[in-house]
Amino acid sequence: MSIKENYDRIKSQIDAACLRAGRSKDTVKLMLVTKTVPLDKLKQTIDFGHFLFGENKVQELYEKKSQLLNVNAQIHFIGHLQKNKIKKCVEYADVIQSVDHLSLAKELNDYLLKINKTKDILVQVNTSNEQSKFGVEPDQAIELIKKISQLSQLKIKGLMTLAKFSSDEDQVRPCFKTLKQIFDTVASMSIPGVSMEELSMGMSSDFEIAIEEGATLIRVGTAVFGKRDTSDSQYWPESKK
Ligand SMILES: *Cc1c(COP(=O)(O)O)cnc(C)c1O
């Protein structure tokens, strides 16, 4: 299967999931996750009209984005952000989806103040209750969001999660429900500077469930580009995937 065929298949699966969920299909954005995917493959998708990407490592984000500066492509950072990579990440990521700690948020804010810029972020929540996953614990998410909302340069636009890696739907779906619940609660609180627009959840193996549970942005890699050569433990320490 070519990248385009995979892409078209995913698109029709998204449409079908929206239909099942009684949602309009333009309420779900597809992000292509291009970690380990060479630039020429990414460019193939730009050629057929795709412009939203996700990267897990600042180095790869930088290498790709700096080759795409004259293209209207957006790349979000979706990995664990180390504090020594903040500058490059701020410079090259259109959105940082993986803010999960106040100390990280403060360092981001300090740097943004210095360069007089703001940045759209999502707060990552650990809905799977697994030690190996990054993200704030669900019961601490709202407190963290309130604190980050007071940092002038960070604009919280929504939430992100990785569900449990399991083929058992009953293990996966509750993760998405948890995130949606926090999303709705935060939205109802009308915290100044916080807008709940983006619910980033669902990957190749579980995006249809995520759409049924309210995802507005799904992050798909393998199902479009094929299996990665690099083990995902490179990206998620102690990952069981
Ligand atoms: C790799 C990755 C994805 C995509 O995973 P696939 O199973 O390849 O679709 C989504 N989100 C994050 C945070 C990732 O690291």
Side-chain angles (χ1 to χ4, degrees):
M1 287 278 240
S2 71
I3 289 175
K4 181 68 164 80
E5 284 167 326
N6 288 337
Y7 186 82
D8 289 343
R9 190 186 65 248
I10 299 295
K11 280 289 208 182
S12 52
Q13 285 173 334
I14 293 171
D15 292 353
C18 284
L19 197 64
R20 278 199 303 281
R23 301 179 55 185
S24 144
K25 55 188 177 185
D26 54 15
T27 60
V28 179
K29 294 196 257 309
L30 171 60
M31 162 177 286
L32 294 182
V33 177
T34 45
K35 61 183 182 225
T36 77
V37 173
L39 186 67
D40 64 311
K41 288 193 177 173
L42 186 157
K43 279 184 170 162
Q44 279 181 42
T45 71
I46 291 179
D47 288 343
F48 60 69
H50 187 86
F51 297 102
L52 180 61
F53 302 96
E55 282 290 346
N56 287 65
K57 293 202 171 187
V58 174
Q59 186 60 26
E60 271 187 83
L61 167 77
Y62 159 74
E63 282 165 10
K64 287 172 186 157
K65 182 77 186 189
S66 54
Q67 299 292 316
L68 297 170
L69 292 177
N70 52 355
V71 184
N72 186 24
Q74 279 218 350
I75 309 187
H76 293 196
F77 186 73
I78 59 173
H80 177 62
L81 180 52
Q82 291 163 311
K83 287 179 182 158
N84 60 356
K85 306 266 170 66
I86 279 179
K87 288 185 187 177
K88 239 181 190 160
C89 190
V90 162
E91 192 172 342
Y92 289 95
D94 293 287
V95 176
I96 302 173
Q97 291 205 0
S98 43
V99 178
D100 63 354
H101 209 278
L102 186 61
S103 65
L104 173 64
K106 280 183 173 158
E107 291 204 25
L108 281 167
N109 194 64
D110 286 347
Y111 180 61
L112 285 159
L113 272 172
K114 234 184 261 174
I115 59 171
N116 196 24
K117 287 197 170 143
T118 63
K119 186 61 76 182
D120 289 351
I121 64 160
L122 307 185
V123 171
Q124 181 174 358
V125 182
N126 180 3
T127 55
S128 66
N129 225 334
E130 290 171 300
Q131 290 298 320
S132 61
K133 300 263 175 60
F134 296 108
V136 60
E137 294 307 311
D139 61 355
Q140 290 157 32
I142 291 179
E143 219 27 63
L144 178 63
I145 289 166
K146 281 190 195 157
K147 287 187 178 138
I148 295 177
S149 76
Q150 291 168 7
L151 303 173
S152 56
Q153 313 307 104
L154 296 179
K155 308 295 169 197
I156 301 179
K157 299 291 180 186
L159 306 176
M160 186 269 256
T161 200
L162 289 155
K164 212 168 193 137
F165 296 139
S166 166
S167 49
D168 180 1
E169 191 178 316
D170 294 338
Q171 300 276 317
V172 175
R173 193 179 291 275
C175 300
F176 296 143
K177 281 192 190 294
T178 298
L179 197 68
K180 175 72 159 97
Q181 222 162 45
I182 299 170
F183 184 87
D184 289 341
T185 305
V186 173
S188 74
M189 293 168 74
S190 307
I191 303 167
V194 175
S195 55
M196 287 291 112
E197 298 164 21
E198 215 70 280
L199 196 51
S200 172
M201 58 188 196
M203 319 190 341
S204 290
S205 57
D206 56 17
F207 70 86
E208 291 166 292
I209 305 171
I211 290 171
E212 289 166 13
E213 297 302 330
T216 65
L217 188 156
I218 61 168
R219 309 180 307 267
V220 173
T222 314
V224 168
F225 296 109
K227 204 170 167 322
R228 287 177 286 276
D229 295 335
T230 322
S231 148
D232 278 348
S233 61
Q234 293 270 323
Y235 294 92
W236 300 307
E238 296 153 59
S239 162
K240 289 184 225 66
K241 205 181 183 189

